[in-house]
Amino acid sequence: MSGRALQTLIALVLAGLWGAGLGFAHWRGNMWSLDRVEATMTDLRTLVRGTAKPPELITIVAIDDEAVRNDGRYPLSRATLARIVDTIARFGPKAIAVDLLLVDPGTKDDDEALARSLRGTSSVIAAAAVYSGGKQSIAVEGDGPLARVPNAKQFLWPLKAFSDIAAVGVVNVVTDWTGTPRFVPLLFRAGDRTEASFSLRVAAMAVGEDPGIAPDYLSLGRQRIRTDIGHILPLTFYGPRGTIRTISATTVLGGQVDGGVIRDRIVVIGATATGAGDVFPTPFDPVLPGVEVMSTAIAHLMTGDGIVRDQYVRLADAGFAVVLPVVLVGLLAWRRNAIGLAAIVGVVVIWFVVNMTAFSYHIWLSAALPMAAAVPPAILFGAAQLWLGRNQAQYFATQSELLQRVEAPGFAGWLAKHGDFLLEPVRRDAAIIFIDLSGFTGLSETLGPNATRELLNTFHALVDEEVTSCGGVVTNFMGDGAMILFGLPEAATDDAFNAARCCAALSSRTSNWLVSLPASTASRLGFKIGAHYGTIVASRLGGKGRQHIATTGDTVNVASRLMEIAAGQNAEVAVSDEILQVAGRDCELFKSGALRGPVEAQVRGRSGSLAIWLWQSSQTLQDTRPPEQ
């Protein structure tokens, strides 16, 4: 066996073992680290699939803003709730589900009225599971069918006056890191006590049979409900709020309800009023009421139209986790050219189509697991192949070494072709621009690290885009500022002209960007620009392991100090007379905005004065001009 064939065989075996290890962990339910990626991919697949028509067997009676306004309080009085239940009961529903926690006593008469209403109906009321530390967790305890059922610290149970009359179910759901409900546990434990979920109680009451419990499914009448680990039911939403038929409690109380939407149907009573707090984000709606989440779970149990992820689906995921990395590594070994790349893309597209098709048929195949299984082996094997290809490896190593030694990305292409660039210092005339944000240091103390990074990323991208379009190079980003050079790697006759154009473009673009920021941020930020033209000394400094391009000289110092003059003179840009003389009267600073000067100014750290010009953009002048009388 040749050396290359042996390397490929080893890579295939390692890729298969990697995928098998991840697949086994996923099959056991121990790959929570991939949940964020899986949640995002699931939302995307849900949106691609689009909205779906919910079953007609469920009607939501919403305690909405109008009902709260008419009753004059929230939660509604128990007497009003009793009237709602009585009105619904007259139309003969299959079951009445009250998605409200009736844990605190009301007035005696109101509680008795609600108890009488519940006594004469097939009703389910809500309880809640309370977890230690406020976080729901699933721990394996034994090998029985309830080994992975969520174990709560205790149950928050309704008042005995209600729980003695109506069935009780637990309303907790399992959310992901975004707060989106992904699962509804169908069973809960608290010590030796096991309780059914709210949705399961309602479905069982509507069917008229108790559910049967098996290791990986529940049976409910003729319906066999395939569940995930721990008897949790995956959720897939039909659409935004109101997709499931919803009528206002005010309509019910007013006697205006159509009995056809209640008779022989499951009626779920729940809060949708603004500020009620029981809302969740979903792919379709950022604030879906909790009563619609419960109604979705009930619909899945009654019709079996939810997505399925059980041990067999997880086993299929494990199979993809083994096969996909082996196939990709095999294709990389087969062809390292356009044909091989096309084959790899084809395999990925086929896997994506299979995954999306399965999802459209309510089979929840993992998207994150095959990606986690396939990407690292493919990248590592591809990198190893490049390293072992001697000529290519030498070429890429040379480029990598050069590119890692410099900080200015604008020089990367030049260094790849001219490895001796600036090994010796070079003196030449060039234009230097400095730009800096005013007030950023104080603002960053209140923004926090993430918002500060986002603000700087946007600013850096803005500067880089404008500088590149004008033909310059950003030699260094210094936090909230940047140093820009026109004259390297090669000098050009229009360096000063382009630098002047860059000053105007940067000023206008930065002004527009600041205006687009929130007022609380924009009011604390400003900017200043300084530009000068003259002789610089450019060289490559540093040791063998790390080098950077340094630009020094009086021209650099003057350009930096001109920012202070711009800020002191309430101007956006301060430029030296030298750069305008070289740029000429046709440069952008003469053609746009307002340019005033020359004026003699003292530059800190420099003897004598310097003739400078101050520039403001037309937009800034218009914004600061007093209104006409």
Side-chain angles (χ1 to χ4, degrees), residues 195-430:
E195 294 294 338
S197 72
F198 181 80
S199 53
L200 184 58
R201 286 286 191 205
V202 175
M205 180 166 290
V207 172
E209 295 184 17
D210 291 333
I213 302 175
D216 60 341
Y217 69 90
L218 298 178
S219 60
L220 190 62
R222 297 181 179 180
Q223 190 74 26
R224 182 171 176 174
I225 305 152
R226 297 163 62 185
T227 58
D228 202 354
I229 295 172
H231 290 297
I232 57 177
L233 179 72
L235 286 174
T236 178
F237 296 97
Y238 299 104
R241 76 182 84 177
T243 301
I244 298 176
R245 181 176 49 235
T246 302
I247 59 177
S248 172
T250 302
T251 302
V252 175
L253 291 170
Q256 302 168 339
V257 64
D258 177 11
V261 302
I262 292 180
R263 187 173 295 107
D264 291 327
R265 285 169 169 77
I266 298 172
V267 179
V268 186
I269 303 172
T272 64
T274 303
D278 185 23
V279 294
F280 298 90
T282 72
F284 296 109
D285 198 321
V287 283
L288 187 77
V291 64
E292 291 204 44
V293 176
M294 289 294 103
S295 298
T296 300
I298 295 168
H300 291 343
L301 292 172
M302 294 295 295
T303 64
D305 64 352
I307 52 176
V308 175
R309 186 168 78 173
D310 59 6
Q311 63 173 342
Y312 301 106
V313 176
R314 286 181 177 269
L315 189 60
D317 289 335
F320 279 111
V322 174
V323 172
L324 195 59
V326 170
V327 171
L328 294 187
V329 168
L331 290 174
L332 282 173
W334 173 57
R335 287 285 190 274
R336 287 181 291 168
N337 53 23
I339 296 176
L341 180 60
I344 291 172
V345 172
V347 169
V348 173
V349 169
I350 291 172
W351 166 75
F352 176 79
V353 171
V354 170
N355 190 282
M356 191 64 217
T357 302
F359 194 83
S360 66
Y361 282 94
H362 306 286
I363 303 297
W364 185 3
L365 290 174
S366 174
L369 177 67
M371 291 169 56
V375 171
I379 291 178
L380 290 174
F381 182 72
Q385 290 292 94
L386 289 176
W387 182 73
L388 292 172
R390 303 180 186 281
N391 293 333
Q392 288 185 339
Q394 183 62 39
Y395 172 74
F396 287 120
T398 301
Q399 282 200 92
S400 176
E401 182 182 358
L402 289 171
L403 293 177
Q404 290 176 9
R405 289 183 179 182
V406 299
E407 295 179 357
F411 299 128
W414 185 266
L415 282 171
K417 298 178 180 179
H418 305 84
D420 59 349
F421 178 59
L422 294 184
L423 286 178
E424 296 294 331
V426 172
R427 293 176 61 89
R428 65 174 55 167
D429 289 338

Side-chain angles (χ1 to χ4, degrees), residues 96 98 118 121-127 157-158 162-169 198 201-202 205:
I96 299 176
V98 183
L118 294 174
T121 63
S122 298
S123 57
V124 179
I125 58 177
W157 211 247
F162 304 136
S163 62
D164 286 347
I165 295 169
V168 181
F198 181 80
R201 286 286 191 205
V202 175
M205 180 166 290

Side-chain angles (χ1 to χ4, degrees), residues 86-97:
D86 288 339
T87 303
I88 294 170
R90 285 200 297 268
F91 291 102
K94 285 182 178 292
I96 299 176

Side-chain angles (χ1 to χ4, degrees), residues 22 58 65 111 118 141 150 178 181 273 292 319 329 377 381 420 431 437 551 566 570 613 627:
L22 293 181
I58 295 177
D65 291 332
D111 285 352
L118 294 174
E141 296 182 7
T178 66
E292 291 204 44
V329 168
F381 182 72
D420 59 349
L437 292 178
T551 307
N570 197 28
W613 297 72

Side-chain angles (χ1 to χ4, degrees), residues 112-123:
E112 289 178 352
L114 180 56
R116 285 194 300 270
S117 298
L118 294 174
R119 182 179 292 111
T121 63
S122 298
S123 57

Side-chain angles (χ1 to χ4, degrees), residues 16 37 59 190 213 257 338 484:
V37 177
T59 297
I213 302 175
V257 64
I484 302 158

Side-chain angles (χ1 to χ4, degrees), residues 534-610:
T535 302
I536 63 166
V537 177
S539 59
R540 226 154 77 186
L541 301 179
K544 294 181 179 180
R546 173 72 175 175
Q547 293 185 346
H548 66 279
I549 290 176
T551 307
T552 58
D554 182 63
T555 301
V556 178
N557 296 330
V558 170
S560 176
R561 301 305 184 195
L562 286 178
M563 289 193 296
E564 301 175 3
I565 296 177
Q569 296 293 327
N570 197 28
E572 296 174 359
V573 181
V575 297
S576 65
D577 188 62
E578 285 87 344
I579 194 171
L580 289 183
Q581 288 184 13
V582 178
R585 300 289 298 186
D586 290 334
C587 76
E588 191 67 24
L589 294 178
F590 282 107
K591 294 168 64 177
S592 65
L595 183 67
R596 52 189 173 94
V599 296
E600 294 295 323
Q602 191 70 35
V603 178
R604 183 165 59 90
R606 194 173 191 263
S607 61
S609 60
L610 181 71

